[in-house]
Amino acid sequence: MDATDPTVFRVAGPVGPADVPRLCEELSALLREGTAAGCEVVCDVGGVTRPGLATVDALARLHLTARRLGHRMAVRGAGTDLRLLLELVGLTGLLSPPAGPAGRTGGTSASRPGTT
């Protein structure tokens, strides 16, 4: 793996409150196994079924776990229901930006107002 490649951590199935400590421990172990500090962690949630508040809690705690170990974390593959839940609780900042046309990420190339 290239040093610039993100570390991918997959979460799948229904996530219950009892799963949260295990998921955090699995992420901690993965990051301690030689991932350089400061590398990005991508939490792939494409396999999550029936997302609920336990899923949101797990993602928030996984984000904190990654930060405590010196890493950035973004969530990838969230379905509409999970996106709406994250929006409801103010955690949309965890989501990776959606890919636009030709694989570009969202945003604009326009200049900032007041600049030329």
Side-chain angles (χ1 to χ4, degrees):
M1 179 188 316
D2 187 323
T4 60
D5 289 340
T7 299
V8 178
F9 182 75
R10 288 180 175 75
V11 178
V15 177
D19 297 316
V20 176
R22 175 187 54 81
L23 289 169
C24 290
E25 185 54 42
E26 288 176 7
L27 179 61
S28 293
L30 176 67
L31 295 178
R32 288 186 183 125
E33 289 177 359
T35 303
C39 289
E40 182 179 19
V41 176
V42 173
C43 185
D44 185 343
V45 295
V48 170
T49 59
R50 298 187 327 254
L53 292 178
T55 307
V56 172
D57 181 41
L59 293 175
R61 291 176 186 265
L62 288 168
H63 180 255
L64 288 173
T65 299
R67 295 228 17 212
R68 286 182 182 134
L69 295 171
H71 300 274
R72 302 175 310 278
M73 188 186 96
V75 175
R76 173 180 74 191
T80 303
D81 291 344
L82 182 53
R83 286 181 171 277
L84 289 171
L85 282 171
L86 291 170
E87 183 178 340
L88 181 67
V89 298
L91 292 176
T92 55
L94 294 179
L95 296 169
S96 293
R104 293 179 51 201
T105 58
T108 180
S109 60
S111 62
R112 294 185 314 242
T115 63
T116 56

